[in-house]
DNA sequence: TGCAGTTGCCTAACCCTTTTAGGCAACTTA
DNA sequence: TAAGTTGCCTAAAAGGGTTAGGCAACTGCA
């Protein structure tokens, strides 16, 4: 019988697509085997286990996000950079909800250190160069920005905003205005 | 044989405790049955299914959170209120990680409308009364605050901050300072 | 107090997912 | 083309989710 041509790489990509289609928590080794028209046990030559698959999808998503973020920051500064950077996260979550969900899963410390998560922090720091924040406030600002972007996107995707009136695009603009104002006028001590 | 005295109420509470102990996604009908020393099928007289259990835990968590938030806001205004309110979320997540995770699960629109989620929005609006924001900016500010609180707490709990240097308590204070400054100085248009 | 009706937990059964062990066929290389 | 390796297979066990149907333990009413 002909071989299906599986590989960790292909399985991870297919898993990511599947996540976007049916939700990250619906991604199972079984579902993936079905996609390739292959028996479940066959995947275990390429994946340690189910958790391994999810971790690999998460790492893929973090890479993609960091790539987009780096691209968005190139040649921009100040509010222009802030907007572009923030939109990367929001757009990615909309285009790839499953991957975005994957990117939020908790990684064990070792995996995290090797992941693109580190690049995200560096990129956020780069974004702050356009604002004149005291050195000792940088980390706080990085964390605040991360919180707002992640929080906003996950509430919006989770339907948390869909019950009240003004549309979310308007709010998103105001939030970016507010963050820009805040960074230009960061309170001391 | 003696009856175990199950009820939807007791199962939900036990499920919430279990979530805090072993993680929300480890909460299964089987695990719950084991806790009560009862056969799995027996729970199905009290729960529609596994999803139903999770939804009930989520609703419980939302109620508890709203209760605490209301309590925290009583008699406070301005930054005092902001701090107390924000700490409710952070402390709840630390004390009850499983319940907090439950509170983030997506509810279907009908359930959401009947949930305490609505109270959370109202309470956040009440918090804003201490700041003089134009009426048409209120919803935007509500959403921003929700994003920051949720985003910060979930990143902190997920270990997202644990790799970099300054401790998170310091950042949390700076974030609250920043939000306070922002609300007192909200950019127009 | 005793019986009828209801409720609560049970057994049995089925399906799906995860994971391991061991086998044969299809590729690769010399 | 034979030897070695790799890839997908079958088989099997364990655990979770869910439904159907049964008997025992409670309830309330005569």
């Amino acid at each position: 019988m002909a071989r299906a041509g599986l590989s960790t790489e292909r399985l991870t990509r297919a898993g990511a697509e599947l996540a976007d289609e049916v939700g990250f928590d619906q991604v199972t080794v079984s579902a993936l085997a079905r996609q390739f028209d292959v028996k479940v046990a066959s995947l275990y030559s390429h994946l340690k286990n189910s958790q391994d698959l999810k971790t690999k999808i998460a790492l893929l998503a973090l890479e993609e996000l960091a790539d987009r973020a780096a691209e968005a920051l190139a040649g921009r500064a100040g509010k222009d950079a802030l907007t572009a950077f923030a939109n990367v996260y929001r757009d990615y979550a909309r285009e790839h909800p499953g991957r975005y969900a994957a990117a939020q899963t908790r990684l064990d410390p070792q995996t995290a250190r090797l992941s693109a998560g580190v690049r995200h922090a560096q990129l956020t720091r780069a974004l702050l160069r356009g604002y004149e924040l005291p050195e000792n406030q940088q980390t706080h600002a990085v964390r605040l920005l991360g919180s707002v972007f992640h929080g906003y996107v996950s509430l919006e995707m989770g339907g948390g905003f869909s019950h009240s009136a003004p549309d979310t695009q308007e709010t998103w603009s105001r939030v970016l205005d507010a963050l820009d104002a805040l960074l230009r006028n960061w309170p001391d001590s």
Side-chain angles (χ1 to χ4, degrees), chain A:
Chain A
M1 38 197 88
R3 297 190 174 182
L6 305 182
S7 73
T8 304
E9 169 88 16
R10 283 192 68 191
L11 289 173
T12 305
R13 301 210 160 274
E17 310 246 317
L18 191 59
D20 288 336
E21 284 160 27
V22 303
F24 182 56
D25 39 312
Q26 302 301 315
V27 174
T28 76
V29 183
S30 306
L32 208 49
R34 252 174 262 130
Q35 297 245 322
F36 284 91
D37 204 26
V38 141
K39 298 297 169 184
V40 192
S42 308
L43 302 201
Y44 282 82
S45 320
H46 306 279
L47 302 169
K48 277 226 310 287
N49 51 38
S50 167
Q51 183 52 50
D52 184 43
L53 169 63
K54 297 196 173 177
T55 301
K56 283 185 162 56
I57 296 173
L59 293 175
L60 173 68
L62 285 171
E63 292 277 354
E64 288 183 352
L65 253 176
D67 288 347
R68 287 196 185 195
E71 226 272 314
L73 278 191
R76 292 194 232 260
K79 189 175 181 194
D80 195 24
L82 177 71
T83 304
F85 190 75
N87 279 329
V88 162
Y89 286 91
R90 189 165 180 247
D91 293 345
Y92 189 81
R94 295 173 151 215
E95 288 168 37
H96 299 296
R99 284 160 151 101
Y100 187 78
Q104 311 309 322
T105 58
R106 187 174 203 151
L107 300 174
D108 64 291
Q110 307 196 27
T111 312
R113 223 171 313 114
L114 298 173
S115 79
V118 182
R119 276 171 73 203
H120 288 274
Q122 289 167 347
L123 288 166
T124 312
R125 267 209 159 62
L127 166 62
L128 288 180
R129 279 201 284 269
Y131 298 90
E132 268 122 39
L133 281 179
E135 174 59 25
N136 68 346
Q137 297 299 304
Q138 299 249 346
T139 301
H140 304 319
V142 166
R143 289 173 173 174
L144 173 60
L145 289 179
S147 299
V148 177
F149 297 157
H150 168 53
Y152 189 93
V153 168
S154 73
L155 288 177
E156 186 181 17
M157 305 252 18
F161 296 155
S162 56
H163 309 299
S164 40
D167 75 59
T168 55
Q169 182 52 53
E170 171 69 9
T171 296
W172 183 241
S173 299
R174 290 287 79 75
V175 165
L176 295 181
D177 289 346
L179 287 178
D180 178 62
L182 180 60
L183 291 174
R184 278 190 282 98
N185 211 353
W186 189 265
D188 43 357
S189 176

